[in-house]
Amino acid sequence: MKAMKPDWLSDPKVWRTEVLAGLVVALALIPEAISFSIIAGVDPAIGLFASFTMAVVISVVGGRRAMISAATGAVALVIAPLNRDHGLGHLIAAVILAGVFQVVLGALGVAKLMRFIPRSVMVGFVNSLAVLIFMTQIPEMRNVPWAVYPLIVGGLALMVFFPRITTAVPAPLVSIVILTAITVGAAIAVPTVGDRGELPSSLPVPGLPDVPFTLDTLTTIAPYAFAMALVGLMESLMTAKLVDDITDTRSDKTRESVGQGIANIVTGFFGGMGGCAMIGQTMINVKVSGARTRLSTFLAGVFLMVLCVVFGPVVSHIPMAALVAIMVMVSFATFDWHSVTPRTLKRMPAGEIAVMVITVGCVVATHNLAVGVVVGSVTAMVIFAKRVAHFASVTAVTDPDGTTVVYRVTGELFFASSNDLVGQFDYAGDPGRVVVDLSAAHIWDASSVATLDAIEAKYAQRGKSVEITGLNGPSADLRSKLSGELAAGH
């Protein structure tokens, strides 16, 4: 049986789409990588090298096809203090260690935690991302020559209307070419890519970080490396899930987690600042350009270096207005407009809306997607726990002879619901024999076991016996392990 060829090898149309998508992403990556280098406090070449190695390596070892990984703002914010206080050598060492952490976390199954992120958090993540992408373009529209504004409008118009003529060439690429030709041909003085920093003139070479290999170095870089590993994995896995939904395909999240680690290790040895999945560039690749394979990711990295090393002088003339127009279009395409329509908001439970708003608010306030996801998920869990807690109920039936009372407990018993359970029994008025029927309930945690122990103790103080019946297998096992061991909590 012959191995199946990739789509881009057997279908010229797919090949053309992937190649052009990779070129568009590479052009958009250059100013972004330079900007993130400035945030991290390093030379622009450090960010560009990171984007090159991250994209090329993840295209091979990653678990999500067509997703773009490169130097990112989130990673830059995490490692900037380390570079400021200890220098570039420690930063590079932290990138390598962060990659090791990601490989270990991926192998341990950290990707499985994605199932605990609710849909409302995911919607908030997408919407906050769109807002952040738009907000990062605002500085590019302040204190600039008046010609920038018609160029941005023209770029947006091209991306809206050009696809109606043909989709053979990505509209963002057309926009970049036309706006560059106009500004160069008419000698219009506007900010360009070259104004953001000098592009590298040679390829990166591998080497070891310039740090002493001591325990002191390890303790210095470890906290930054671990924070970078967590932020990078969270952004990458959330982005992978978003691409899964857009393309209606599944990705291997564990492979992606390990792949991010490998890509960061390689990036560190090549002197890059590290990175993770880039939501904005991924949306350009997948949603705007229509890419679906690893080829576009690989070529984005390759084209990035070719453009810098070979065509640096030409690329330097690209007006920032063209790239701003692309990112503004990406932000509008990324935002889930359906989630904020009056019809949707009327039907959505108040708790779901609150979680979405909190997620967006945290991300916009901190400029950190990981913070928003964590706070949103915790808020959703609290709301869920509060909602489920009300489902536990107790009904009492006394035997005709008055010697026995049966309490039937229904629902899920955990810390939020079991705390109210103690007060629903008539310890003084009940007869000498009490039966607690749990056949319609389930015990989930130690708090519930402690509550049952407390109920038995209160009846015992009054000389009454309690029989607990109907426990299912897992509930009985948990109670047998913990009952009588939790007295200190009463």
Side-chain angles (χ1 to χ4, degrees):
M1 183 178 176
K2 291 183 178 180
M4 290 183 63
K5 290 183 178 180
D7 290 343
W8 55 270
L9 276 178
S10 56
D11 188 340
K13 185 178 179 181
V14 172
W15 189 87
R16 184 178 65 242
T17 298
E18 300 297 313
V19 171
L20 293 176
L23 179 58
V24 172
V25 170
L27 288 166
L29 270 175
I30 293 173
E32 295 256 312
I34 295 173
S35 298
F36 299 145
S37 299
I38 294 170
I39 292 173
V42 298
D43 188 90
I46 305 297
L48 290 164
F49 288 158
S51 296
F52 163 59
T53 53
M54 286 293 298
V56 169
V57 175
I58 206 68
S59 70
V60 179
V61 300
R64 172 65 258 177
R65 290 178 296 172
M67 191 165 77
I68 304 297
S69 289
T72 59
V75 168
L77 288 169
V78 171
I79 60 178
L82 178 63
N83 179 66
R84 183 182 63 244
D85 297 337
H86 299 279
L88 180 62
H90 282 74
L91 182 151
I92 300 300
V95 170
I96 296 172
L97 183 59
V100 173
F101 282 145
Q102 288 178 328
V103 170
V104 173
L105 290 170
L108 291 175
V110 69
K112 294 178 182 177
L113 296 176
M114 285 296 295
R115 76 178 89 173
F116 296 107
I117 297 179
R119 182 186 177 279
S120 52
V121 173
M122 191 67 196
V123 173
F125 169 81
V126 171
N127 289 347
S128 58
L129 191 56
V131 173
L132 277 188
I133 291 172
F134 184 80
M135 288 176 64
T136 57
Q137 304 312 305
I138 292 177
E140 304 293 342
M141 295 183 267
R142 287 179 179 163
N143 302 318
V144 292
W146 68 268
V148 168
Y149 303 110
L151 286 172
I152 292 175
V153 173
L156 289 171
L158 280 168
M159 285 183 285
V160 170
F161 296 109
F162 187 80
R164 299 183 184 182
I165 301 171
T166 178
T167 56
V169 181
L173 181 58
V174 174
S175 178
I176 289 172
V177 171
I178 291 178
L179 293 188
T180 303
I182 290 173
T183 54
V184 173
I188 301 174
V190 292
T192 63
V193 170
D195 296 333
R196 304 303 291 269
E198 188 177 348
L199 302 180
S201 57
S202 62
L203 293 174
V205 293
L208 294 174
D210 183 18
V211 293
F213 292 89
T214 62
L215 182 61
D216 183 56
T217 299
L218 180 62
T219 55
T220 300
I221 66 174
Y224 295 96
F226 192 65
M228 174 184 162
L230 292 179
V231 169
L233 281 181
M234 187 172 295
E235 285 210 32
S236 298
L237 293 174
M238 292 291 284
T239 304
K241 189 175 187 303
L242 179 60
V243 178
D244 289 353
D245 294 340
I246 292 172
T247 61
D248 198 23
T249 57
R250 296 187 65 181
S251 59
D252 187 337
K253 305 296 191 303
T254 297
R255 178 178 173 180
E256 182 61 37
S257 302
V258 174
Q260 287 290 330
I262 295 172
N264 272 305
I265 292 171
V266 173
T267 296
F269 281 119
F270 275 90
M273 58 180 274
C276 62
M278 292 190 77
I279 187 73
Q281 309 300 336
T282 298
M283 289 299 100
I284 292 175
N285 198 46
V286 174
K287 205 163 188 177
V288 180
S289 300
R292 292 293 183 271
T293 77
R294 296 178 184 275
L295 180 63
S296 57
T297 306
F298 176 81
L299 289 179
V302 173
F303 284 150
L304 174 65
M305 277 295 98
V306 172
L307 288 169
C308 291
V309 175
V310 180
F311 298 103
V314 177
V315 172
S316 296
H317 289 300
I318 295 175
M320 286 300 300
L323 301 174
V324 170
I326 292 174
M327 298 310 291
V328 169
M329 180 61 74
V330 167
S331 70
F332 276 89
T334 302
F335 197 91
D336 185 352
W337 297 101
H338 176 72
S339 66
V340 295
T341 61
R343 184 178 180 184
T344 301
L345 294 176
K346 285 180 181 178
R347 295 184 176 185
M348 192 75 69
E352 301 274 317
I353 297 173
V355 169
M356 182 179 71
V357 171
I358 288 171
T359 302
V360 173
C362 288
V363 172
V364 172
T366 64
H367 284 229
N368 190 324
L369 292 164
V371 171
V373 171
V374 171
V375 174
S377 296
V378 170
T379 304
M381 290 175 187
V382 171
I383 292 173
F384 174 76
K386 186 176 180 181
R387 188 183 304 159
V388 173
H390 295 304
F391 293 156
S393 61
V394 179
T395 55
V397 177
T398 305
D399 282 358
D401 59 9
T403 59
T404 304
V405 61
V406 178
Y407 284 93
R408 181 174 175 80
V409 181
T410 303
E412 307 299 321
L413 300 182
F414 63 111
F415 63 90
S417 58
S418 60
N419 287 336
D420 296 332
L421 205 61
V422 178
Q424 299 190 48
F425 292 81
D426 185 3
Y427 303 102
D430 283 342
R433 182 171 181 268
V434 177
V435 177
V436 180
D437 180 9
L438 295 174
S439 57
H442 186 96
I443 296 175
W444 287 103
D445 60 5
S447 295
S448 302
V449 175
T451 296
L452 294 177
D453 286 351
I455 292 170
E456 287 183 311
K458 287 180 180 293
Y459 277 115
Q461 290 171 2
R462 294 167 174 79
K464 301 173 183 181
S465 65
V466 177
E467 179 184 358
I468 295 177
T469 64
L471 286 170
N472 58 31
S475 299
D477 289 343
L478 184 63
R479 185 165 185 263
S480 66
K481 290 177 183 177
L482 297 178
S483 184
E485 303 294 329
L486 306 168
H490 298 336

